[in-house]
Amino acid sequence: MSLFQYDFMIRALVGALVIGLSAPALGIYLVQRRMSLIGDGIGHVALTGVGVGLLLDTSPVLTAVIVSTAGAVAIELLRERGRTSGDQALALLFYGGIAGGVMLVGLSDNRSNANLMAYLFGSLTTTSRDDLIVIVVLGVAVLAAMLLLRPALFAICHDEEYARVSGLPVRTLNVLIAVTAAVTVTIAMRTVGLLLVSALMVVPVAAAQQVTRGFRATMALAMGLGLLSAGLGVWVAGEVDTAAGATIVVLAIGAFVAIAAGAAAWRLLRRRVQAVPQPADVEPPDVVLER
């Protein structure tokens, strides 16, 4: 009997595939800027938004989007003006977000640990139709922005000063990356959870970098790996009854290990082949034909 005959499994699969595509598409820019851990920081801020939603008895997804977006933009503006360094900004996101979230969840009437764990580690099979619509719409918007603005986003990630001299709206593009990161983290909290979403942004990109050289090829392969990990993760989780978010991340890490090992073995083989001495070019001896 197929697991995908159930509506909740189909919703889970569609939501996971959307996140599997959009998260690496954004993550490649974060990796280029050496901000791989910002997803974790925004995830902690999103937990504050979840607490606000539970406290006010409104949609936790909506309040998480608003709070995490505001936090990401504020940190980006502080970083740009030089008032705080990158690691200090991430520390503010980490500690302030997690502390505020736990405190607000404790103050709300719905203070069940099960609900809190569902947001921290994901609860893909409980994705409702309304949740799926939000995931698909926002995920497609993030994916479109990352693909359509790829040249400009690559420019500011590679050399921000050169991009500014070239006339690109650097501040606007930086804020765009911060906002899309917040949106991606928020919509992914139903899929892989707030504590694991950063892995889906970074691990496929790190795996693709092992075997590709160009930015476009790396982005395409990372998105393919994210899509494959998400699809297989939902299927494996349904078959063996494990947490879908954790299964997706474990498969992504497994793909990274396999690709890294294969690339290392290939480089070693090439070095050994090149180290084998080749026979020198020697003129053939004269041939004497006997009568």
Side-chain angles (χ1 to χ4, degrees):
M1 184 179 294
S2 175
L3 290 171
F4 296 104
Q5 66 178 328
Y6 303 107
D7 290 340
F8 73 90
M9 285 301 297
I10 295 177
R11 290 195 297 268
L13 179 63
V14 173
L17 293 178
V18 171
I19 301 301
L21 275 175
S22 58
L26 168 68
I28 190 170
Y29 300 106
L30 300 180
V31 171
Q32 287 288 322
R33 302 184 70 181
R34 301 184 184 277
M35 298 178 66
S36 301
L37 294 179
I38 193 173
D40 285 330
I42 295 177
H44 287 71
V45 174
L47 183 61
T48 298
V50 170
V52 172
L54 295 177
L55 184 64
L56 301 178
D57 197 20
T58 59
S59 172
V61 176
L62 178 60
T63 54
V65 169
I66 296 173
V67 173
S68 60
T69 299
V73 171
I75 293 300
E76 174 58 34
L77 294 178
L78 288 173
R79 184 197 64 83
E80 182 187 82
R81 295 178 181 180
R83 295 185 179 179
T84 182
S85 61
D87 58 340
Q88 292 174 342
L90 289 177
L92 290 173
L93 285 173
F94 269 74
Y95 306 130
I98 194 70
V102 172
M103 184 183 70
L104 291 175
V105 170
L107 292 174
S108 66
D109 293 332
N110 190 359
R111 61 180 69 185
S112 171
N113 288 333
N115 290 329
L116 184 59
M117 295 292 288
Y119 290 106
L120 289 176
F121 298 101
S123 182
L124 190 57
T125 55
T126 62
T127 302
S128 66
R129 183 175 179 272
D130 293 338
D131 290 336
L132 183 61
I133 292 175
V134 173
I135 291 173
V136 171
V137 171
L138 295 180
V140 170
V142 170
L143 186 61
M146 296 302 100
L147 293 177
L148 294 176
L149 299 176
R150 180 174 56 196
L153 295 175
F154 172 78
I156 66 167
C157 292
H158 183 67
D159 191 338
E160 190 170 299
E161 291 301 324
Y162 177 78
R164 184 175 286 106
V165 172
S166 300
L168 291 174
V170 173
R171 173 179 292 180
T172 302
L173 293 173
N174 282 332
V175 171
L176 175 64
I177 291 178
V179 170
T180 51
V183 171
T184 303
V185 168
T186 306
I187 62 176
M189 70 182 180
R190 301 294 291 172
T191 306
V192 295
L194 295 174
L195 298 184
L196 296 176
V197 61
S198 186
L200 202 55
M201 291 181 181
V202 175
V203 174
V205 177
Q209 287 179 333
Q210 302 295 317
V211 293
T212 56
R213 294 185 179 180
F215 184 83
R216 182 180 300 178
T218 302
M219 187 177 193
L221 182 56
M223 292 170 61
L225 291 173
L227 188 68
L228 182 63
S229 299
L232 285 178
V234 173
W235 178 76
V236 171
E239 289 290 339
V240 301
D241 193 22
T242 57
T247 306
I248 292 171
V249 172
V250 167
L251 288 177
I253 294 175
F256 169 80
V257 173
I259 292 175
W266 174 251
R267 289 192 295 267
L268 180 61
L269 180 61
R270 287 187 60 185
R271 285 197 297 267
R272 288 186 176 182
V273 170
Q274 293 174 356
V276 173
Q278 301 295 326
D281 294 333
V282 179
E283 294 183 1
D286 295 335
V287 177
V288 180
L289 299 177
E290 295 181 357
R291 295 182 180 179

